[in-house]
């Protein structure tokens, strides 16, 4: 059976009080709409349509070709929004999932289970429900004596008795696609909001003696909608807790989950230890038996196994196995470190290959460079890669020794086993097995100060 999805993302989200379109606000380092799209796709949906309105282009720029799009010029309710997708889906067969773009905690597992329940029961519609301790603002699920759905009533249209019901509609539905678009034509806006409600489609199906199912999730947080900054922070907290628990159950030690921030797409190997205050973001991959020291920040990087990192910032970098980083090192985009490399305190590496066993112990800048195997770069040494207009490359061979406070003025090549005297400014290439000195001869005037 074909499976489609409609993601509702046309609302401006005025309660966010933001210049940014609501569904583009981040949870765990990824926009809410991206979380929703990813989970919808993982649930087995083949074709997806996102309903856009305010900020449409920004949403399209974020999602790209991950979705088709339909535009809702006026926000006249959820049924009206879904109806906008008719240009893509009206003639399709199969199941259509409808999800709100501001529910970043919904999981692919729940969506898939709900769709399977819907199809197994041969239902025309299924609603995802949950039990809320505070149901204010949500549509209430009304059941009959046999526990079948009779109606979903919105908060503003509910009686005082109905408002006491704590089983709520998530706003997530599965429909028989043909029935959905047939009934959408019949929905009216005779309610307090003067809007076209999608739950009215369920009422129309029930009037025709159709089958409407309820699929209940025990995790209320999954269906949490985000309407303001307070709810955004609650979603962030819930997502962080879920993510950290998942990593711990997979064999990662997180010393203090309350202060550890791990993005949705991060992968961490077994027996790695993540210390307090760490932030792991983007598509970061960390191997096994690695120690990520407190207050380290790693983004879109690949870290090997048996690596030790202390209080460092790493962005779009690669670190080989058994490397030792920090404290207070910065690896910028293009830093590519081999196995057993040491990058010590206050060292910055940018767009450079540092080969196996090389050491950059402290207080150095290495940019646009290639550092050979087992080479040692002394304290305070830098690659002078920029003349104010262009960047130039420094190449240092294997088993070389760069003395403290050396300036390597690029473009320059140092052969294998080069030895550079401390305090030198090197402007010419150095052949292998050579010693290079480039500093003024010391002059001492004895007794000068007594005069």
């Amino acid at each position: 059976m074909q499976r489609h999805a409609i993601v509702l993302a046309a609302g401006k989200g005025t309660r966010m009080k933001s210049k940014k379109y609501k569904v583009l606000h981040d949870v765990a380092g990824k926009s809410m709409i991206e979380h929703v799209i990813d989970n919808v796709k993982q649930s087995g949906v083949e074709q997806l349509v996102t309903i856009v309105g305010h900020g449409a282009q920004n949403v399209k720029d974020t999602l790209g070709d991950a979705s088709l799009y339909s535009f809702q010029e006026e926000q006249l309710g959820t049924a009206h929004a879904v109806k906008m997708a008719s240009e893509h889906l009206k003639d399709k067969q199969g199941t259509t999932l409808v999800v709100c773009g501001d529910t970043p905690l919904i999981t692919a597992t729940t969506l898939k289970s709900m769709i399977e329940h819907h199809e197994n029961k041969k239902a025309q519609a299924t609603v995802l429900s949950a039990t809320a301790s505070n149901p204010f603002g949500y549509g209430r699920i009304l059941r009959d004596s046999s526990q079948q759905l009779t109606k979903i009533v919105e908060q503003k249209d509910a009686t005082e008795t109905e408002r006491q019901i704590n089983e709520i509609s998530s706003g997530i539905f599965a429909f028989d696609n043909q029935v959905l678009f047939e009934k959408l034509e019949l929905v009216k806006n005779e309610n307090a909001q003067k809007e076209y409600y999608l739950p009215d489609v369920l009422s129309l199906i029930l009037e025709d003696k159709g089958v409407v199912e309820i699929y209940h999730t025990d995790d209320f947080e999954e269906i949490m909608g985000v309407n303001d900054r307070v709810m955004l922070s609650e979603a962030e907290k819930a997502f962080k807790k879920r993510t950290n628990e998942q990593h711990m159950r997979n064999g990662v030690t997180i010393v203090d989950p309350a202060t550890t921030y791990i993005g949705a797409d991060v992968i961490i190997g077994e027996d790695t230890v993540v210390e307090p205050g760490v932030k792991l973001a983007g598509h970061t991959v960390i191997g096994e038996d690695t120690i990520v020291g407190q207050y380290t920040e790693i983004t879109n990087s690949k870290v090997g196994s048996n690596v030790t990192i202390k209080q460092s910032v790493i962005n779009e970098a690669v670190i080989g196995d058994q490397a030792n980083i920090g404290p207070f090192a910065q690896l910028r985009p293009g830093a590519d470190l081999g196995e057993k490399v040491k990058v010590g305190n206050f060292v910055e590496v940018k767009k450079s290959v540092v080969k196996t066993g090389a050491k950059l112990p402290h207080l150095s800048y290495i940019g646009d460079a290639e550092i050979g195997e087992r080479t040692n770069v002394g304290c305070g040494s830098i690659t002078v890669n920029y003349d104010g207009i262009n960047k130039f490359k420094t190449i240092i061979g294997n088993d070389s020794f760069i003395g403290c406070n050396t300036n390597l003025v690029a473009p320059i090549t140092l052969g294998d086993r080069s030895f550079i005297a401390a305090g030198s400014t090197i402007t010419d290439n150095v052949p292998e097995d050579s010693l290079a000195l480039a500093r003024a001869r010391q002059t001492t005037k004895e007794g000068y100060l007594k005069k």
Side-chain angles (χ1 to χ4, degrees), residues 302-320:
K302 183 177 181 181
V303 179
S305 297
N306 294 287
V307 174
T308 298
I309 302 171
K310 299 176 182 177
Q311 291 114 314
S312 295
V313 177
I314 299 162
N315 183 25
E316 296 182 22
V318 176
I319 301 173

Side-chain angles (χ1 to χ4, degrees), residues 56 58 70-71 75 94 127 145 209 217 225 258 261 267 276 321 344 413 417 443 449:
N58 290 333
S70 291
F71 186 73
Q75 277 66 61
V127 57
S145 57
K209 309 300 182 186
T217 174
Y261 296 82
I267 299 172
D321 295 345
T413 299
R417 299 172 298 282
T443 299
L449 293 181

Side-chain angles (χ1 to χ4, degrees), residues 113-121 126 213-215:
S113 297
M114 175 191 171
I115 293 170
E116 289 173 349
H117 176 88
H118 169 81
E119 292 174 351
N120 290 338
K121 294 290 186 178
T126 300
E213 284 288 312
I214 302 171
Y215 185 82

